[in-house]
Amino acid sequence: MKHKFLSSAIVSATTALLMSSLSFVFADPAHADFNLCNRAAKKYLAAVSWNSRDRGVVSTGWIQLQPGQCSPPILTGSVANVPIGVYGQNTGGGFTTGSDQRCVIQFPTQPSWTLIGSDQRSRCTGKGRVMVGFDVVRPAGSNFTYELFD
């Protein structure tokens, strides 16, 4: 049990650090947030990708959403015209996909992860890593909620 607690603490600390650093990636006087909402009847696992000015394409997951649940802002600051990709899978076998290929680490191999350079197939090697299609949106400048459906 001690090992499991330590792993949970590390995952929680890593997630908190990631979420706080994302606000600086998009720092800008114009403010808009990006979040996800699960409109499906089943639990959703989602991954989000974006272009970071200094690190290239970054992907992170798994954001776990119960039916009807919305995430807190995943990206904050100015997200206007920033290409943001979403990939999701629900426990009923449904998927949200697109044509923009990014690397993810399959659940439950790693329940919380961040990949730098996730658009590069050469960086998608190792246990549980697979290229999947992300649906890419470009928010128009106001708060943007991406909705996941069955």
Side-chain angles (χ1 to χ4, degrees):
M1 276 316 232
K2 185 176 183 181
H3 177 68
K4 186 172 183 173
F5 173 77
L6 179 60
S7 296
S8 296
I10 291 170
V11 168
S12 295
T14 302
T15 302
L17 179 62
L18 171 69
M19 292 305 185
S20 66
S21 69
L22 292 179
S23 63
F24 296 108
V25 172
F26 298 105
D28 190 305
H31 184 79
D33 294 336
F34 180 87
N35 71 317
L36 300 170
C37 284
N38 181 2
R39 303 295 183 215
K42 306 281 183 180
K43 178 180 176 178
Y44 245 102
L45 301 173
V48 176
S49 72
W50 67 94
N51 290 325
S52 168
R53 292 183 191 124
D54 58 344
R55 297 185 294 167
V57 177
V58 178
S59 295
T60 190
W62 292 107
I63 300 155
Q64 299 183 43
L65 298 169
Q66 297 298 327
Q69 182 183 10
C70 294
S71 71
I74 297 165
L75 302 174
T76 61
S78 179
V79 296
N81 282 328
V82 173
I84 300 170
V86 176
Y87 170 78
Q89 57 191 44
N90 70 34
T91 55
F95 289 90
T96 297
T97 64
S99 60
D100 201 13
Q101 294 289 303
R102 301 285 188 249
C103 187
V104 299
I105 302 176
Q106 294 176 323
F107 189 88
T109 303
Q110 194 162 343
S112 180
W113 50 268
T114 299
L115 298 172
I116 309 299
S118 62
D119 59 330
Q120 300 171 27
R121 190 170 296 277
S122 63
R123 291 185 168 226
C124 196
T125 59
K127 183 179 179 183
R129 292 183 183 210
V130 62
M131 297 294 281
V132 297
F134 279 65
D135 181 33
V136 176
V137 295
R138 289 179 176 266
S142 60
N143 290 340
F144 188 86
T145 298
Y146 187 100
E147 296 180 314
L148 299 156
F149 292 95
D150 286 325

